[in-house]
Amino acid sequence: MANNQITFFTVDNGDSVLLEAHGWTIMTDVNYRAGAADEDDDDHHDFAPILRDACNDDSLDIFVLTHPDEDHLRGFGSIFHLGKPEDRDDDPDEGDVLLIANEIWCSEYAANPNYTTDVSKPVLNEIKRRKNLQGTQEGKKDGNRLQILTASGGAEQDIVKGLSWRLLAPDADEADIPVAPEGEPRNSSNSSSLVIQWSITVGSSASKVLLGGDSTVEVWERIDKDYDAAAKEWNILLAPHHCSRHSMGRKKGDDQFEWSDEAIAGLDNPKGSSPHVVSSSKKFEGGTPPNPKARDKYHKILAQGDDVDDEVRSRFLVTAGKKGEKAKDIVFTFKSSGPSLKLIGTATSASIISSSPASAGGGGYG
């Protein structure tokens, strides 16, 4: 495995984020599309080999499911073993050995969902299996462990020296999603998204990464109110909901939209002189998300009170690439000077296209 880096895989409007830090491998969400492993499929990125190379002994330390939307858990069973770890086929006749996710983190809603789909059912059944083992010796073993998380206080917790995390959402109310009345559309799980601030320390520099699934405007308004700046700061922010404006405001009537100053303040906590925002999304070519007006808000956040110029815009990154560009995985390495950016083309994932310093050290779609 590479040490001390984070990779945002190009997966269209979906999330697949791999953190490798101080010997630990942590995957947040997965959107692995059918056909990705087919060498003739140029539309879907096969990041599974990169993930397998990162994992020692064919196991991932932690899989974090922010919330059970299909674009955050699709293809889990194509990469990870489902069921008892001792039942994994360690010598399959075809394909690669499936990875064991030693531990899964999820919200109370994902552990008790209102509904499943053909895509979500395998993962949610695996969570249910592990939940039934909690409190037993079996439940403490690799491949059986489960943490059901609810935000309370936002205390920072260590995983290992140099790697810590802080849970900002969901609180108990945000994870309590009611069943929709019969005949009505299902209630969205977006408000139940885990929002986690990761801290990776190398030397004397602590780099902060903020990941928040499809967290809603109401969640960011509460985060702004409940936490101090240190709990919310970031060198790297994954734009919630694939850069949808609905994490920053809400519709007012049929054709009006009202931005929320409080939600934007909850997101507006960049750290260092060169922070970055990543949009795990399609290109900005019409149809949302991603939303260009939300992108403009992130540009202002990145400018930190200065003018929005080309240098500022260059620190807003899109996994699908900009118009005319190829899609690319976005990789940051963590150094004693802070995060450093590398853009890695998916066609030849070992070739570095460009690099630049990233720090001086310090509802619905649309």
PDB file of all heavy atoms in Angstrom, residues 13-15 29 66-72 188-195 211-217 219-220 238-244 246-247 280 289 363-365:
ATOM      1  N   ASN A  13     -21.495  10.500 -10.896  1.00  0.00           N
ATOM      2  CA  ASN A  13     -22.144  11.070  -9.715  1.00  0.00           C
ATOM      3  C   ASN A  13     -22.272   9.978  -8.661  1.00  0.00           C
ATOM      4  O   ASN A  13     -23.285   9.300  -8.538  1.00  0.00           O
ATOM      5  CB  ASN A  13     -23.530  11.624 -10.067  1.00  0.00           C
ATOM      6  CG  ASN A  13     -23.444  13.004 -10.693  1.00  0.00           C
ATOM      7  OD1 ASN A  13     -22.385  13.618 -10.712  1.00  0.00           O
ATOM      8  ND2 ASN A  13     -24.554  13.487 -11.213  1.00  0.00           N
ATOM      9  N   GLY A  14     -21.231   9.804  -7.900  1.00  0.00           N
ATOM     10  CA  GLY A  14     -21.150   8.793  -6.858  1.00  0.00           C
ATOM     11  C   GLY A  14     -19.866   9.022  -6.089  1.00  0.00           C
ATOM     12  O   GLY A  14     -19.040   9.848  -6.472  1.00  0.00           O
ATOM     13  N   ASP A  15     -19.693   8.313  -4.975  1.00  0.00           N
ATOM     14  CA  ASP A  15     -18.493   8.486  -4.158  1.00  0.00           C
ATOM     15  C   ASP A  15     -17.769   7.166  -3.986  1.00  0.00           C
ATOM     16  O   ASP A  15     -18.399   6.127  -3.717  1.00  0.00           O
ATOM     17  CB  ASP A  15     -18.844   9.028  -2.770  1.00  0.00           C
ATOM     18  CG  ASP A  15     -19.225  10.506  -2.794  1.00  0.00           C
ATOM     19  OD1 ASP A  15     -19.027  11.147  -3.842  1.00  0.00           O
ATOM     20  OD2 ASP A  15     -19.701  11.004  -1.758  1.00  0.00           O
ATOM     21  N   ASP A  29     -17.569   4.787   1.069  1.00  0.00           N
ATOM     22  CA  ASP A  29     -18.534   4.583  -0.007  1.00  0.00           C
ATOM     23  C   ASP A  29     -17.904   3.861  -1.198  1.00  0.00           C
ATOM     24  O   ASP A  29     -16.677   3.762  -1.332  1.00  0.00           O
ATOM     25  CB  ASP A  29     -19.172   5.899  -0.458  1.00  0.00           C
ATOM     26  CG  ASP A  29     -20.077   6.502   0.605  1.00  0.00           C
ATOM     27  OD1 ASP A  29     -20.572   5.743   1.455  1.00  0.00           O
ATOM     28  OD2 ASP A  29     -20.285   7.722   0.587  1.00  0.00           O
ATOM     29  N   THR A  66     -21.533   6.143   4.107  1.00  0.00           N
ATOM     30  CA  THR A  66     -22.118   7.388   4.591  1.00  0.00           C
ATOM     31  C   THR A  66     -23.634   7.279   4.713  1.00  0.00           C
ATOM     32  O   THR A  66     -24.226   7.724   5.692  1.00  0.00           O
ATOM     33  CB  THR A  66     -21.757   8.589   3.689  1.00  0.00           C
ATOM     34  OG1 THR A  66     -22.247   8.359   2.357  1.00  0.00           O
ATOM     35  CG2 THR A  66     -20.258   8.829   3.675  1.00  0.00           C
ATOM     36  N   HIS A  67     -24.275   6.656   3.698  1.00  0.00           N
ATOM     37  CA  HIS A  67     -25.727   6.475   3.716  1.00  0.00           C
ATOM     38  C   HIS A  67     -26.074   5.494   2.593  1.00  0.00           C
ATOM     39  O   HIS A  67     -25.291   5.311   1.648  1.00  0.00           O
ATOM     40  CB  HIS A  67     -26.463   7.805   3.549  1.00  0.00           C
ATOM     41  CG  HIS A  67     -26.291   8.454   2.224  1.00  0.00           C
ATOM     42  ND1 HIS A  67     -25.059   8.852   1.735  1.00  0.00           N
ATOM     43  CD2 HIS A  67     -27.182   8.774   1.237  1.00  0.00           C
ATOM     44  CE1 HIS A  67     -25.197   9.392   0.538  1.00  0.00           C
ATOM     45  NE2 HIS A  67     -26.471   9.346   0.211  1.00  0.00           N
ATOM     46  N   PRO A  68     -27.232   4.843   2.665  1.00  0.00           N
ATOM     47  CA  PRO A  68     -27.501   3.733   1.742  1.00  0.00           C
ATOM     48  C   PRO A  68     -28.137   4.110   0.410  1.00  0.00           C
ATOM     49  O   PRO A  68     -29.017   3.416  -0.088  1.00  0.00           O
ATOM     50  CB  PRO A  68     -28.420   2.824   2.569  1.00  0.00           C
ATOM     51  CG  PRO A  68     -29.163   3.756   3.463  1.00  0.00           C
ATOM     52  CD  PRO A  68     -28.189   4.853   3.789  1.00  0.00           C
ATOM     53  N   ASP A  69     -27.690   5.213  -0.212  1.00  0.00           N
ATOM     54  CA  ASP A  69     -28.076   5.503  -1.590  1.00  0.00           C
ATOM     55  C   ASP A  69     -27.279   4.599  -2.529  1.00  0.00           C
ATOM     56  O   ASP A  69     -26.126   4.244  -2.241  1.00  0.00           O
ATOM     57  CB  ASP A  69     -27.791   6.966  -1.940  1.00  0.00           C
ATOM     58  CG  ASP A  69     -28.934   7.897  -1.565  1.00  0.00           C
ATOM     59  OD1 ASP A  69     -29.880   7.429  -0.913  1.00  0.00           O
ATOM     60  OD2 ASP A  69     -28.845   9.090  -1.896  1.00  0.00           O
ATOM     61  N   GLU A  70     -27.861   4.255  -3.670  1.00  0.00           N
ATOM     62  CA  GLU A  70     -27.226   3.291  -4.571  1.00  0.00           C
ATOM     63  C   GLU A  70     -25.868   3.765  -5.081  1.00  0.00           C
ATOM     64  O   GLU A  70     -24.955   2.959  -5.268  1.00  0.00           O
ATOM     65  CB  GLU A  70     -28.167   2.973  -5.729  1.00  0.00           C
ATOM     66  CG  GLU A  70     -29.420   2.206  -5.292  1.00  0.00           C
ATOM     67  CD  GLU A  70     -30.278   1.748  -6.456  1.00  0.00           C
ATOM     68  OE1 GLU A  70     -29.961   2.130  -7.606  1.00  0.00           O
ATOM     69  OE2 GLU A  70     -31.251   1.007  -6.213  1.00  0.00           O
ATOM     70  N   ASP A  71     -25.707   5.083  -5.308  1.00  0.00           N
ATOM     71  CA  ASP A  71     -24.444   5.576  -5.837  1.00  0.00           C
ATOM     72  C   ASP A  71     -23.361   5.695  -4.769  1.00  0.00           C
ATOM     73  O   ASP A  71     -22.274   6.212  -5.026  1.00  0.00           O
ATOM     74  CB  ASP A  71     -24.632   6.916  -6.560  1.00  0.00           C
ATOM     75  CG  ASP A  71     -25.306   7.972  -5.702  1.00  0.00           C
ATOM     76  OD1 ASP A  71     -25.968   7.623  -4.720  1.00  0.00           O
ATOM     77  OD2 ASP A  71     -25.167   9.166  -6.027  1.00  0.00           O
ATOM     78  N   HIS A  72     -23.652   5.193  -3.562  1.00  0.00           N
ATOM     79  CA  HIS A  72     -22.661   5.168  -2.483  1.00  0.00           C
ATOM     80  C   HIS A  72     -22.376   3.751  -1.996  1.00  0.00           C
ATOM     81  O   HIS A  72     -21.537   3.573  -1.108  1.00  0.00           O
ATOM     82  CB  HIS A  72     -23.130   6.041  -1.321  1.00  0.00           C
ATOM     83  CG  HIS A  72     -23.183   7.496  -1.674  1.00  0.00           C
ATOM     84  ND1 HIS A  72     -22.236   8.409  -1.266  1.00  0.00           N
ATOM     85  CD2 HIS A  72     -24.072   8.193  -2.434  1.00  0.00           C
ATOM     86  CE1 HIS A  72     -22.539   9.609  -1.745  1.00  0.00           C
ATOM     87  NE2 HIS A  72     -23.654   9.499  -2.462  1.00  0.00           N
ATOM     88  N   SER A 188     -35.971  10.435   1.537  1.00  0.00           N
ATOM     89  CA  SER A 188     -34.552  10.401   1.235  1.00  0.00           C
ATOM     90  C   SER A 188     -33.737  10.046   2.475  1.00  0.00           C
ATOM     91  O   SER A 188     -34.078  10.446   3.596  1.00  0.00           O
ATOM     92  CB  SER A 188     -34.098  11.754   0.703  1.00  0.00           C
ATOM     93  OG  SER A 188     -32.696  11.836   0.626  1.00  0.00           O
ATOM     94  N   SER A 189     -32.634   9.328   2.264  1.00  0.00           N
ATOM     95  CA  SER A 189     -31.716   9.007   3.362  1.00  0.00           C
ATOM     96  C   SER A 189     -30.585  10.026   3.480  1.00  0.00           C
ATOM     97  O   SER A 189     -29.681   9.865   4.309  1.00  0.00           O
ATOM     98  CB  SER A 189     -31.116   7.608   3.156  1.00  0.00           C
ATOM     99  OG  SER A 189     -30.263   7.582   2.020  1.00  0.00           O
ATOM    100  N   ASN A 190     -30.625  11.097   2.683  1.00  0.00           N
ATOM    101  CA  ASN A 190     -29.499  12.027   2.636  1.00  0.00           C
ATOM    102  C   ASN A 190     -29.153  12.642   3.985  1.00  0.00           C
ATOM    103  O   ASN A 190     -27.978  12.813   4.327  1.00  0.00           O
ATOM    104  CB  ASN A 190     -29.771  13.146   1.628  1.00  0.00           C
ATOM    105  CG  ASN A 190     -29.720  12.663   0.197  1.00  0.00           C
ATOM    106  OD1 ASN A 190     -29.283  11.552  -0.075  1.00  0.00           O
ATOM    107  ND2 ASN A 190     -30.182  13.491  -0.730  1.00  0.00           N
ATOM    108  N   SER A 191     -30.161  12.984   4.779  1.00  0.00           N
ATOM    109  CA  SER A 191     -29.894  13.638   6.064  1.00  0.00           C
ATOM    110  C   SER A 191     -29.192  12.715   7.050  1.00  0.00           C
ATOM    111  O   SER A 191     -28.630  13.177   8.045  1.00  0.00           O
ATOM    112  CB  SER A 191     -31.192  14.158   6.680  1.00  0.00           C
ATOM    113  OG  SER A 191     -32.036  13.092   7.083  1.00  0.00           O
ATOM    114  N   SER A 192     -29.204  11.400   6.774  1.00  0.00           N
ATOM    115  CA  SER A 192     -28.537  10.444   7.667  1.00  0.00           C
ATOM    116  C   SER A 192     -27.075  10.241   7.307  1.00  0.00           C
ATOM    117  O   SER A 192     -26.385   9.410   7.929  1.00  0.00           O
ATOM    118  CB  SER A 192     -29.260   9.096   7.639  1.00  0.00           C
ATOM    119  OG  SER A 192     -29.049   8.418   6.409  1.00  0.00           O
ATOM    120  N   SER A 193     -26.557  10.972   6.326  1.00  0.00           N
ATOM    121  CA  SER A 193     -25.167  10.784   5.880  1.00  0.00           C
ATOM    122  C   SER A 193     -24.170  11.023   7.008  1.00  0.00           C
ATOM    123  O   SER A 193     -24.269  12.017   7.744  1.00  0.00           O
ATOM    124  CB  SER A 193     -24.837  11.749   4.735  1.00  0.00           C
ATOM    125  OG  SER A 193     -25.578  11.462   3.572  1.00  0.00           O
ATOM    126  N   LEU A 194     -23.206  10.126   7.139  1.00  0.00           N
ATOM    127  CA  LEU A 194     -22.098  10.361   8.053  1.00  0.00           C
ATOM    128  C   LEU A 194     -21.257  11.519   7.527  1.00  0.00           C
ATOM    129  O   LEU A 194     -20.912  11.561   6.353  1.00  0.00           O
ATOM    130  CB  LEU A 194     -21.214   9.121   8.175  1.00  0.00           C
ATOM    131  CG  LEU A 194     -21.827   7.836   8.730  1.00  0.00           C
ATOM    132  CD1 LEU A 194     -20.760   6.751   8.809  1.00  0.00           C
ATOM    133  CD2 LEU A 194     -22.466   8.052  10.083  1.00  0.00           C
ATOM    134  N   VAL A 195     -20.949  12.465   8.403  1.00  0.00           N
ATOM    135  CA  VAL A 195     -20.027  13.553   8.082  1.00  0.00           C
ATOM    136  C   VAL A 195     -18.833  13.392   9.009  1.00  0.00           C
ATOM    137  O   VAL A 195     -18.965  13.492  10.231  1.00  0.00           O
ATOM    138  CB  VAL A 195     -20.674  14.936   8.275  1.00  0.00           C
ATOM    139  CG1 VAL A 195     -19.672  16.044   7.956  1.00  0.00           C
ATOM    140  CG2 VAL A 195     -21.918  15.075   7.398  1.00  0.00           C
ATOM    141  N   LEU A 211     -15.391  14.681   4.713  1.00  0.00           N
ATOM    142  CA  LEU A 211     -16.227  13.884   3.823  1.00  0.00           C
ATOM    143  C   LEU A 211     -17.634  13.838   4.388  1.00  0.00           C
ATOM    144  O   LEU A 211     -17.800  13.576   5.587  1.00  0.00           O
ATOM    145  CB  LEU A 211     -15.679  12.457   3.695  1.00  0.00           C
ATOM    146  CG  LEU A 211     -14.205  12.299   3.291  1.00  0.00           C
ATOM    147  CD1 LEU A 211     -13.814  10.827   3.289  1.00  0.00           C
ATOM    148  CD2 LEU A 211     -13.946  12.917   1.926  1.00  0.00           C
ATOM    149  N   GLY A 212     -18.664  14.057   3.539  1.00  0.00           N
ATOM    150  CA  GLY A 212     -20.009  14.170   4.079  1.00  0.00           C
ATOM    151  C   GLY A 212     -21.118  13.561   3.261  1.00  0.00           C
ATOM    152  O   GLY A 212     -22.286  13.936   3.443  1.00  0.00           O
ATOM    153  N   GLY A 213     -20.826  12.613   2.372  1.00  0.00           N
ATOM    154  CA  GLY A 213     -21.894  11.943   1.630  1.00  0.00           C
ATOM    155  C   GLY A 213     -22.811  12.931   0.933  1.00  0.00           C
ATOM    156  O   GLY A 213     -22.355  13.856   0.253  1.00  0.00           O
ATOM    157  N   ASP A 214     -24.115  12.738   1.115  1.00  0.00           N
ATOM    158  CA  ASP A 214     -25.118  13.622   0.513  1.00  0.00           C
ATOM    159  C   ASP A 214     -25.801  14.475   1.581  1.00  0.00           C
ATOM    160  O   ASP A 214     -26.998  14.754   1.504  1.00  0.00           O
ATOM    161  CB  ASP A 214     -26.177  12.796  -0.238  1.00  0.00           C
ATOM    162  CG  ASP A 214     -25.647  12.166  -1.507  1.00  0.00           C
ATOM    163  OD1 ASP A 214     -24.503  12.457  -1.891  1.00  0.00           O
ATOM    164  OD2 ASP A 214     -26.364  11.355  -2.111  1.00  0.00           O
ATOM    165  N   SER A 215     -25.040  14.893   2.580  1.00  0.00           N
ATOM    166  CA  SER A 215     -25.600  15.661   3.696  1.00  0.00           C
ATOM    167  C   SER A 215     -26.343  16.900   3.215  1.00  0.00           C
ATOM    168  O   SER A 215     -25.953  17.550   2.254  1.00  0.00           O
ATOM    169  CB  SER A 215     -24.490  16.048   4.678  1.00  0.00           C
ATOM    170  OG  SER A 215     -23.344  16.510   3.984  1.00  0.00           O
ATOM    171  N   THR A 216     -27.421  17.232   3.914  1.00  0.00           N
ATOM    172  CA  THR A 216     -28.370  18.248   3.464  1.00  0.00           C
ATOM    173  C   THR A 216     -28.095  19.620   4.069  1.00  0.00           C
ATOM    174  O   THR A 216     -27.280  19.764   4.989  1.00  0.00           O
ATOM    175  CB  THR A 216     -29.799  17.824   3.839  1.00  0.00           C
ATOM    176  OG1 THR A 216     -29.891  17.759   5.276  1.00  0.00           O
ATOM    177  CG2 THR A 216     -30.145  16.464   3.253  1.00  0.00           C
ATOM    178  N   VAL A 217     -28.812  20.610   3.575  1.00  0.00           N
ATOM    179  CA  VAL A 217     -28.656  21.976   4.063  1.00  0.00           C
ATOM    180  C   VAL A 217     -28.949  22.059   5.555  1.00  0.00           C
ATOM    181  O   VAL A 217     -28.261  22.769   6.301  1.00  0.00           O
ATOM    182  CB  VAL A 217     -29.550  22.945   3.253  1.00  0.00           C
ATOM    183  CG1 VAL A 217     -31.027  22.573   3.340  1.00  0.00           C
ATOM    184  CG2 VAL A 217     -29.352  24.390   3.710  1.00  0.00           C
ATOM    185  N   VAL A 219     -28.479  19.791   7.797  1.00  0.00           N
ATOM    186  CA  VAL A 219     -27.349  19.214   8.524  1.00  0.00           C
ATOM    187  C   VAL A 219     -26.216  20.226   8.639  1.00  0.00           C
ATOM    188  O   VAL A 219     -25.634  20.408   9.722  1.00  0.00           O
ATOM    189  CB  VAL A 219     -26.866  17.926   7.830  1.00  0.00           C
ATOM    190  CG1 VAL A 219     -25.532  17.459   8.415  1.00  0.00           C
ATOM    191  CG2 VAL A 219     -27.909  16.824   7.963  1.00  0.00           C
ATOM    192  N   TRP A 220     -25.912  20.920   7.548  1.00  0.00           N
ATOM    193  CA  TRP A 220     -24.809  21.887   7.590  1.00  0.00           C
ATOM    194  C   TRP A 220     -25.164  23.112   8.426  1.00  0.00           C
ATOM    195  O   TRP A 220     -24.280  23.720   9.042  1.00  0.00           O
ATOM    196  CB  TRP A 220     -24.384  22.263   6.176  1.00  0.00           C
ATOM    197  CG  TRP A 220     -23.660  21.118   5.537  1.00  0.00           C
ATOM    198  CD1 TRP A 220     -24.152  20.248   4.599  1.00  0.00           C
ATOM    199  CD2 TRP A 220     -22.348  20.667   5.857  1.00  0.00           C
ATOM    200  NE1 TRP A 220     -23.218  19.291   4.311  1.00  0.00           N
ATOM    201  CE2 TRP A 220     -22.103  19.513   5.061  1.00  0.00           C
ATOM    202  CE3 TRP A 220     -21.363  21.116   6.726  1.00  0.00           C
ATOM    203  CZ2 TRP A 220     -20.891  18.818   5.126  1.00  0.00           C
ATOM    204  CZ3 TRP A 220     -20.156  20.411   6.792  1.00  0.00           C
ATOM    205  CH2 TRP A 220     -19.936  19.288   5.995  1.00  0.00           C
ATOM    206  N   LEU A 238     -14.679  17.193   0.238  1.00  0.00           N
ATOM    207  CA  LEU A 238     -15.471  16.554  -0.805  1.00  0.00           C
ATOM    208  C   LEU A 238     -16.823  17.243  -0.828  1.00  0.00           C
ATOM    209  O   LEU A 238     -17.594  17.150   0.132  1.00  0.00           O
ATOM    210  CB  LEU A 238     -15.633  15.060  -0.521  1.00  0.00           C
ATOM    211  CG  LEU A 238     -16.420  14.266  -1.569  1.00  0.00           C
ATOM    212  CD1 LEU A 238     -15.736  14.305  -2.924  1.00  0.00           C
ATOM    213  CD2 LEU A 238     -16.632  12.824  -1.126  1.00  0.00           C
ATOM    214  N   ALA A 239     -17.128  17.969  -1.903  1.00  0.00           N
ATOM    215  CA  ALA A 239     -18.366  18.744  -1.983  1.00  0.00           C
ATOM    216  C   ALA A 239     -19.568  17.822  -1.758  1.00  0.00           C
ATOM    217  O   ALA A 239     -19.747  16.860  -2.513  1.00  0.00           O
ATOM    218  CB  ALA A 239     -18.478  19.428  -3.338  1.00  0.00           C
ATOM    219  N   PRO A 240     -20.386  18.082  -0.744  1.00  0.00           N
ATOM    220  CA  PRO A 240     -21.508  17.179  -0.461  1.00  0.00           C
ATOM    221  C   PRO A 240     -22.446  17.028  -1.657  1.00  0.00           C
ATOM    222  O   PRO A 240     -22.676  17.971  -2.416  1.00  0.00           O
ATOM    223  CB  PRO A 240     -22.217  17.856   0.715  1.00  0.00           C
ATOM    224  CG  PRO A 240     -21.188  18.721   1.346  1.00  0.00           C
ATOM    225  CD  PRO A 240     -20.304  19.176   0.216  1.00  0.00           C
ATOM    226  N   HIS A 241     -22.983  15.829  -1.782  1.00  0.00           N
ATOM    227  CA  HIS A 241     -24.011  15.517  -2.789  1.00  0.00           C
ATOM    228  C   HIS A 241     -23.543  15.871  -4.192  1.00  0.00           C
ATOM    229  O   HIS A 241     -24.307  16.403  -5.004  1.00  0.00           O
ATOM    230  CB  HIS A 241     -25.306  16.249  -2.449  1.00  0.00           C
ATOM    231  CG  HIS A 241     -26.525  15.570  -2.978  1.00  0.00           C
ATOM    232  ND1 HIS A 241     -27.784  16.050  -2.735  1.00  0.00           N
ATOM    233  CD2 HIS A 241     -26.695  14.473  -3.739  1.00  0.00           C
ATOM    234  CE1 HIS A 241     -28.677  15.272  -3.312  1.00  0.00           C
ATOM    235  NE2 HIS A 241     -28.035  14.301  -3.933  1.00  0.00           N
ATOM    236  N   HIS A 242     -22.234  15.599  -4.461  1.00  0.00           N
ATOM    237  CA  HIS A 242     -21.712  15.750  -5.822  1.00  0.00           C
ATOM    238  C   HIS A 242     -21.869  17.179  -6.335  1.00  0.00           C
ATOM    239  O   HIS A 242     -22.225  17.408  -7.486  1.00  0.00           O
ATOM    240  CB  HIS A 242     -22.374  14.738  -6.763  1.00  0.00           C
ATOM    241  CG  HIS A 242     -22.621  13.416  -6.099  1.00  0.00           C
ATOM    242  ND1 HIS A 242     -21.603  12.602  -5.666  1.00  0.00           N
ATOM    243  CD2 HIS A 242     -23.776  12.802  -5.722  1.00  0.00           C
ATOM    244  CE1 HIS A 242     -22.116  11.535  -5.063  1.00  0.00           C
ATOM    245  NE2 HIS A 242     -23.426  11.635  -5.077  1.00  0.00           N
ATOM    246  N   CYS A 243     -21.629  18.132  -5.417  1.00  0.00           N
ATOM    247  CA  CYS A 243     -21.735  19.560  -5.708  1.00  0.00           C
ATOM    248  C   CYS A 243     -23.162  19.968  -6.081  1.00  0.00           C
ATOM    249  O   CYS A 243     -23.395  20.757  -6.995  1.00  0.00           O
ATOM    250  CB  CYS A 243     -20.760  19.982  -6.802  1.00  0.00           C
ATOM    251  SG  CYS A 243     -20.462  21.772  -6.835  1.00  0.00           S
ATOM    252  N   SER A 244     -24.114  19.449  -5.329  1.00  0.00           N
ATOM    253  CA  SER A 244     -25.499  19.901  -5.465  1.00  0.00           C
ATOM    254  C   SER A 244     -25.699  21.177  -4.645  1.00  0.00           C
ATOM    255  O   SER A 244     -25.139  21.321  -3.562  1.00  0.00           O
ATOM    256  CB  SER A 244     -26.450  18.811  -4.950  1.00  0.00           C
ATOM    257  OG  SER A 244     -27.740  19.331  -4.749  1.00  0.00           O
ATOM    258  N   HIS A 246     -28.296  21.819  -3.089  1.00  0.00           N
ATOM    259  CA  HIS A 246     -29.218  21.523  -1.995  1.00  0.00           C
ATOM    260  C   HIS A 246     -28.521  21.213  -0.678  1.00  0.00           C
ATOM    261  O   HIS A 246     -29.185  20.991   0.326  1.00  0.00           O
ATOM    262  CB  HIS A 246     -30.167  20.396  -2.396  1.00  0.00           C
ATOM    263  CG  HIS A 246     -31.163  20.816  -3.420  1.00  0.00           C
ATOM    264  ND1 HIS A 246     -32.231  21.636  -3.140  1.00  0.00           N
ATOM    265  CD2 HIS A 246     -31.220  20.570  -4.762  1.00  0.00           C
ATOM    266  CE1 HIS A 246     -32.923  21.856  -4.234  1.00  0.00           C
ATOM    267  NE2 HIS A 246     -32.335  21.230  -5.239  1.00  0.00           N
ATOM    268  N   SER A 247     -27.192  21.204  -0.668  1.00  0.00           N
ATOM    269  CA  SER A 247     -26.456  21.170   0.590  1.00  0.00           C
ATOM    270  C   SER A 247     -26.193  22.583   1.102  1.00  0.00           C
ATOM    271  O   SER A 247     -25.691  22.750   2.213  1.00  0.00           O
ATOM    272  CB  SER A 247     -25.119  20.441   0.413  1.00  0.00           C
ATOM    273  OG  SER A 247     -25.326  19.073   0.141  1.00  0.00           O
ATOM    274  N   SER A 280     -17.025  14.945  -6.721  1.00  0.00           N
ATOM    275  CA  SER A 280     -17.094  13.588  -7.269  1.00  0.00           C
ATOM    276  C   SER A 280     -18.359  13.507  -8.110  1.00  0.00           C
ATOM    277  O   SER A 280     -19.430  13.135  -7.642  1.00  0.00           O
ATOM    278  CB  SER A 280     -17.119  12.553  -6.148  1.00  0.00           C
ATOM    279  OG  SER A 280     -17.083  11.244  -6.674  1.00  0.00           O
ATOM    280  N   PRO A 289     -27.051  17.183 -10.275  1.00  0.00           N
ATOM    281  CA  PRO A 289     -25.729  17.768 -10.052  1.00  0.00           C
ATOM    282  C   PRO A 289     -24.726  17.284 -11.098  1.00  0.00           C
ATOM    283  O   PRO A 289     -25.037  16.319 -11.786  1.00  0.00           O
ATOM    284  CB  PRO A 289     -25.379  17.260  -8.654  1.00  0.00           C
ATOM    285  CG  PRO A 289     -26.032  15.932  -8.548  1.00  0.00           C
ATOM    286  CD  PRO A 289     -27.316  16.072  -9.327  1.00  0.00           C
ATOM    287  N   GLY A 363     -32.422  16.500   0.575  1.00  0.00           N
ATOM    288  CA  GLY A 363     -33.068  16.576  -0.468  1.00  0.00           C
ATOM    289  C   GLY A 363     -33.105  16.033  -1.803  1.00  0.00           C
ATOM    290  O   GLY A 363     -33.570  14.981  -1.979  1.00  0.00           O
ATOM    291  N   GLY A 364     -32.678  16.682  -2.674  1.00  0.00           N
ATOM    292  CA  GLY A 364     -32.759  16.267  -4.059  1.00  0.00           C
ATOM    293  C   GLY A 364     -31.562  16.771  -4.783  1.00  0.00           C
ATOM    294  O   GLY A 364     -30.690  17.433  -4.235  1.00  0.00           O
ATOM    295  N   TYR A 365     -31.488  16.501  -6.063  1.00  0.00           N
ATOM    296  CA  TYR A 365     -30.390  16.954  -6.871  1.00  0.00           C
ATOM    297  C   TYR A 365     -30.613  18.423  -7.266  1.00  0.00           C
ATOM    298  O   TYR A 365     -31.613  19.018  -7.019  1.00  0.00           O
ATOM    299  CB  TYR A 365     -30.266  16.078  -8.129  1.00  0.00           C
ATOM    300  CG  TYR A 365     -29.509  14.799  -7.902  1.00  0.00           C
ATOM    301  CD1 TYR A 365     -29.506  13.796  -8.859  1.00  0.00           C
ATOM    302  CD2 TYR A 365     -28.802  14.569  -6.739  1.00  0.00           C
ATOM    303  CE1 TYR A 365     -28.817  12.619  -8.673  1.00  0.00           C
ATOM    304  CE2 TYR A 365     -28.095  13.403  -6.536  1.00  0.00           C
ATOM    305  CZ  TYR A 365     -28.111  12.424  -7.518  1.00  0.00           C
ATOM    306  OH  TYR A 365     -27.417  11.266  -7.335  1.00  0.00           O
TER     307      TYR A 365
END
